[in-house]
Amino acid sequence: MLNLVRLATILAALGWIAFIAADLRPFTGIDPDASPAEMAAELDGVLDRAMQRYSIAGVAAGALRDGEVIWSARRGEAQAGGSPVTGETAFNLGSISKPVTVWAVLALARDGRIDLDAPIQPYLTRFTLPDSEYDVSGVTVRRLLQHVAGINIHGYGGYSPEEDQPADIVELSQTYEPLQLVREPGTDPSYSGGGYVLLQMMIEDVSGQGFDAYVREQVFAPLGMDHSGFIEAELPTRSAAFNYYRREITDLRDVALAAAGVYMSGDDMENFLRAHLDGGGVLPASWLDQAFAPSEGTPNIGMSYTRLETPRGLLIGHGGNNSSWNAQIYIRPETGDGFYFMTNATSGAQLDFDLSCTWLSAAREMDVEEVCAEAYELTHQISLAAGLTGLGAIGIAYWLLAGFAAGRRRFSVPPSGRGPVRLTVRLVLCAVSVIAASVAAWFFYTNSVMWRTQVILIDEMPVDEFERLLPAVLVLLTGLALSLWSSPVPRAVSGAGKARQA
């Protein structure tokens, strides 16, 4: 019997290692010289695999070359059991709202209604920045756009239907977390949704219009973006939000529209990306140059856009994660190359590992391993953790089963042990293991907490790898609990058992 246990343990260990190795996340690269048809076919394959593997409900994605759309994908559901995703389906884009806000602010400057290098405070009629140890006059419009104005609040959380929502942006700035100047303006870059809330207030105060109305009039309408906006009720083709189980869930409501509240369709996104090449009739080239120029604090950030130098020119981009919504955009103005994806699913951030990396391998003219080194490292680390945890669980199972096979351990109620102190410690550790396993199973395998729109724990988490790690953890904890509950067999009894077997 003991030999059978040993053989089964070896086979289980080898099988687990083989499973982890065979199921490592695949990454695909595209030759920069690939034809549009070849690139489209490769991106199609990656997207189809990713949607199935990561349980993504709906996606709109596309790629541009020389300013022309060479790939446009509309996949999955916009409503549970209902309408599919189309080119007119609007998705929430989270922080990609900030580039839209950049265009709205530059439209004000284009018309001479604001000065980008002037302090923002004189433009605000409803809100006053509180006194600070730093000079508030250094909080200029340009610095707010570039995230170097020293304003606090990285980002805002939305509000569920059960929560009281602030009446407007001013109340949000007073109740969510008071907006204030916390760093010397123009020095260290620090991503600030709070700074974009100030810009939203400025647009409303200067224009005399609501933020949504102004952006529609000055940006969306001229670019032919008829299925985009910040007011959900005015978007009849808006997608629903979905959790990891592809169940439709109640979306959170955003008040910080300029920071994270925009909804945009795939067709409209293609128009928006093309406008980055020549301004689309909204912004002259000189204003686009200012939007893409490096900030005071770092060459890697422009007016909210990330900046990546590539062999064929500057590549700019921005990502967005809002509860169940995930999106990413890239555009290289000099060549007209562009890419985007938007999803309505909690696990949609996984496309940044697979789909974005695939396109970037061609756009940046680098090996995919180099482009996605960070993604490789993270996913492989989690897979390694899953492998080691599984081996640990197999080791505990072997120790327990071998003990039973050799007649050295048994289950008894209550369990026995060598001395009351050691027994008490064992039982406490056993209880802790049971509780930990139960909480983990409830948290990740039910719809009670995890995968809810109120919980953004999944953002940037490699779901597939994590779902291999979690069962290994549960088996490890369960085996540990059983081992701690089992009782050692007294040597005299064990010896008698062996004598009877003989």
Side-chain angles (χ1 to χ4, degrees):
M1 179 63 71
L2 189 56
N3 287 334
L4 287 176
V5 170
R6 289 170 177 163
L7 178 61
T9 300
I10 292 172
L11 292 176
L14 293 175
W16 179 248
I17 293 172
F19 170 71
I20 292 294
D23 204 36
L24 289 175
R25 182 184 297 229
F27 286 89
T28 305
I30 299 180
D31 188 329
D33 297 322
S35 69
E38 291 171 332
M39 179 176 285
E42 189 62 49
L43 291 171
D44 261 332
V46 172
L47 176 58
D48 290 340
R49 290 193 301 270
M51 288 189 68
Q52 181 64 33
R53 185 167 187 173
Y54 311 129
S55 187
I56 299 172
V59 173
L64 283 69
R65 177 176 286 183
D66 298 324
E68 298 298 326
V69 176
I70 62 169
W71 178 63
S72 188
R74 311 291 184 253
R75 301 278 199 281
E77 294 181 312
Q79 307 291 331
S83 58
V85 172
T86 71
E88 298 179 352
T89 303
F91 293 77
N92 181 273
L93 302 187
S95 289
I96 296 178
S97 305
K98 294 181 179 70
V100 176
T101 301
V102 169
W103 281 63
V105 171
L106 292 181
L108 277 179
R110 173 203 65 197
D111 295 339
R113 305 177 74 175
I114 63 169
D115 180 348
L116 293 181
D117 294 307
I120 194 173
Q121 186 59 69
Y123 297 123
L124 302 177
T125 61
R126 297 171 294 163
F127 181 83
T128 301
L129 276 168
D131 291 336
S132 168
E133 61 179 296
Y134 306 107
D135 185 3
V136 175
S137 67
V139 182
T140 66
V141 176
R142 188 186 302 274
R143 284 171 173 170
L144 286 167
L145 290 169
Q146 295 178 336
H147 297 283
V148 293
I151 299 297
N152 65 327
I153 307 181
H154 180 275
Y156 292 86
Y159 291 83
S160 71
E162 297 79 23
E163 296 178 293
D164 292 331
Q165 180 173 301
D168 56 26
I169 197 71
V170 177
E171 184 179 335
L172 174 73
S173 301
Q174 297 166 339
T175 58
Y176 182 84
E177 180 182 342
L179 272 176
Q180 53 189 318
L181 181 58
V182 296
R183 285 174 297 277
E184 181 69 36
T187 55
D188 297 330
S190 181
Y191 191 86
S192 175
Y196 273 70
V197 163
L198 283 174
L199 293 169
Q200 179 179 334
M201 282 191 274
M202 180 195 70
I203 289 173
E204 294 176 342
D205 291 347
V206 171
S207 70
Q209 298 176 263
F211 182 73
D212 175 73
Y214 182 82
V215 177
R216 282 176 178 269
E217 177 184 293
Q218 297 294 327
V219 181
F220 293 158
L223 295 180
M225 298 169 64
D226 300 325
H227 297 89
S228 301
F230 294 83
I231 307 301
E232 297 177 50
E234 299 180 11
L235 295 167
T237 55
R238 184 182 73 87
S239 173
F242 293 81
N243 67 8
Y244 182 73
Y245 303 107
R246 300 193 183 187
R247 299 186 189 125
E248 187 174 322
I249 55 179
T250 302
D251 191 20
L252 298 182
R253 298 170 295 174
D254 285 285
V255 181
L257 302 181
V262 76
Y263 288 82
M264 193 179 296
S265 71
D267 288 356
D268 284 0
M269 174 60 79
E270 290 168 3
N271 289 345
F272 187 53
L273 291 183
R274 277 195 293 257
H276 284 69
L277 306 182
D278 59 9
V282 174
L283 297 177
S286 59
W287 292 99
L288 284 180
D289 291 342
Q290 293 187 65
F292 307 153
S295 71
E296 293 180 68
T298 173
N300 299 324
I301 300 175
M303 288 185 178
S304 198
Y305 295 96
T306 57
R307 306 176 75 256
L308 301 170
E309 295 292 346
T310 76
R312 292 199 293 159
L314 177 68
L315 181 69
I316 59 173
H318 207 293
N321 300 94
N322 241 15
S323 301
S324 296
W325 308 95
N326 297 275
Q328 179 69 54
I329 62 171
Y330 290 104
I331 189 75
R332 185 159 52 192
E334 293 179 44
T335 62
D337 293 328
F339 168 84
Y340 72 92
F341 78 78
M342 51 185 78
T343 79
N344 56 17
T346 303
S347 54
Q350 304 310 298
L351 292 180
D352 226 6
F353 287 91
D354 289 17
L355 197 60
S356 291
C357 285
T358 299
W359 183 83
L360 283 170
S361 67
R364 294 178 67 178
E365 299 172 306
M366 299 161 63
D367 291 339
V368 69
E369 290 83 357
E370 186 176 353
V371 172
C372 295
E374 184 177 346
Y376 262 123
E377 182 179 357
L378 178 59
T379 57
H380 287 182
Q381 284 176 348
I382 297 176
S383 293
L384 176 61
L388 294 177
T389 303
L391 291 177
I394 292 171
I396 289 176
Y398 168 74
W399 179 83
L400 185 62
L401 293 175
F404 275 94
R408 297 194 184 108
R409 300 200 72 80
R410 66 185 178 186
F411 284 122
S412 60
V413 180
S416 59
R418 298 184 179 91
V421 174
R422 294 178 65 178
L423 178 60
T424 300
V425 172
R426 266 181 41 221
L427 293 180
V428 169
L429 293 176
C430 177
V432 170
S433 299
V434 171
I435 293 171
S438 300
V439 169
W442 170 76
F443 194 75
F444 291 99
Y445 286 133
T446 74
N447 200 27
S448 301
V449 179
M450 192 58 174
W451 320 122
R452 286 294 303 166
T453 185
Q454 291 90 340
V455 181
I456 316 180
L457 196 60
I458 192 59
D459 280 357
E460 310 302 335
M461 175 61 70
V463 177
D464 208 49
E465 289 77 5
F466 197 71
E467 286 198 325
R468 291 196 294 273
L469 173 62
L470 185 62
V473 170
L474 292 177
V475 173
L476 177 69
L477 291 172
T478 301
L480 185 60
L482 291 173
S483 298
L484 291 166
W485 183 266
S486 66
S487 302
V489 175
R491 291 186 178 180
V493 175
S494 178
K498 291 181 179 178
R500 284 194 297 272
Q501 291 176 7

